[in-house]
Amino acid sequence: MLDNYHIVLASNSPRRKALLTDLGIPFEVRIVKGLEESYPSTLQSEEIPQYLSRQKAEAYLATMADNDMIITADTVVVLGGLVLGKPANEHEAHQMLTSLSGRTHEVITGITITTKQRQHTFAVKTKVTFCTLSEEEINHYIQHYHPLDKAGSYGIQEWIGYVGVEKVEGSYFNVVGLPIQQLYQTLKHWEDEA
């Protein structure tokens, strides 16, 4: 599968790297620094991570080799129509986790696959329900883990996911940061759709 391509994961996320590694597809990580993650305010929540993943792909076009296949991704958390990105500081992380407590939110990941010949973008949506988190639990998570590099201030694969997540509807791996099953199916059929 995809023997003709040199696959590039354009992400600094250790979670995305681990998931793609476990898929058994050879790839390299390539990072362009200083990418701005802003988007037009007119976009619907599902359009935002797709837009951002396409914007990230743009940064790689000038340096792409003929056989490169660039995979870019962006994940957002949406609560009641409000998009939660990565928190700027611990206070913001606390606010986000408090707002997620006892409620259901959506995690949406946009994936863009780019080659010299074409580009394909898709989004995967997962619903996550948290139980009511105590102040002590929220503070424990913020002090002992790394909420600042995660959309919505949490990693489902960490302690907060163990104690706080009641229900996941859809792809669990999407919440981790890469909807790996859907990505695999898209890569598997890439040549068929050319």
Side-chain angles (χ1 to χ4, degrees), residues 78-93:
V78 182
L79 178 67
L82 182 67
V83 175
L84 306 179
K86 295 174 185 172
N89 51 48
E90 289 186 1
H91 175 71
E92 205 169 282

Side-chain angles (χ1 to χ4, degrees), residues 83-178:
V83 175
L84 306 179
K86 295 174 185 172
N89 51 48
E90 289 186 1
H91 175 71
E92 205 169 282
H94 189 281
Q95 286 180 315
M96 286 186 189
L97 290 170
T98 301
S99 68
L100 294 173
S101 175
R103 298 175 70 187
T104 298
H105 62 275
E106 289 184 327
V107 178
I108 309 169
T109 300
I111 304 281
T112 297
I113 302 168
T114 306
T115 65
K116 286 276 193 177
Q117 291 72 40
R118 66 190 177 106
Q119 187 175 73
H120 176 68
T121 301
F122 64 96
V124 176
K125 191 185 299 187
T126 305
K127 286 187 178 179
V128 180
T129 302
F130 266 97
C131 67
T132 301
L133 298 167
S134 69
E135 188 74 9
E136 185 181 359
E137 288 165 338
I138 291 171
N139 288 333
H140 173 82
Y141 180 67
I142 292 170
Q143 289 162 14
H144 295 93
Y145 295 88
H146 306 283
L148 301 187
D149 71 340
K150 297 171 181 75
S153 303
Y154 78 94
I156 194 170
Q157 73 282 4
E158 295 176 338
W159 183 84
I160 198 88
Y162 304 159
V163 303
V165 172
E166 280 184 352
K167 185 167 62 170
V168 176
E169 297 172 69
S171 169
Y172 166 82
F173 295 107
N174 184 46
V175 186
V176 177
L178 197 64

Side-chain angles (χ1 to χ4, degrees), residues 58-73:
E58 291 290 318
Y60 293 85
L61 294 180
T63 58
M64 275 182 76
D66 287 343
N67 67 334
D68 277 353
M69 174 181 279
I70 312 284
I71 299 171
T72 51

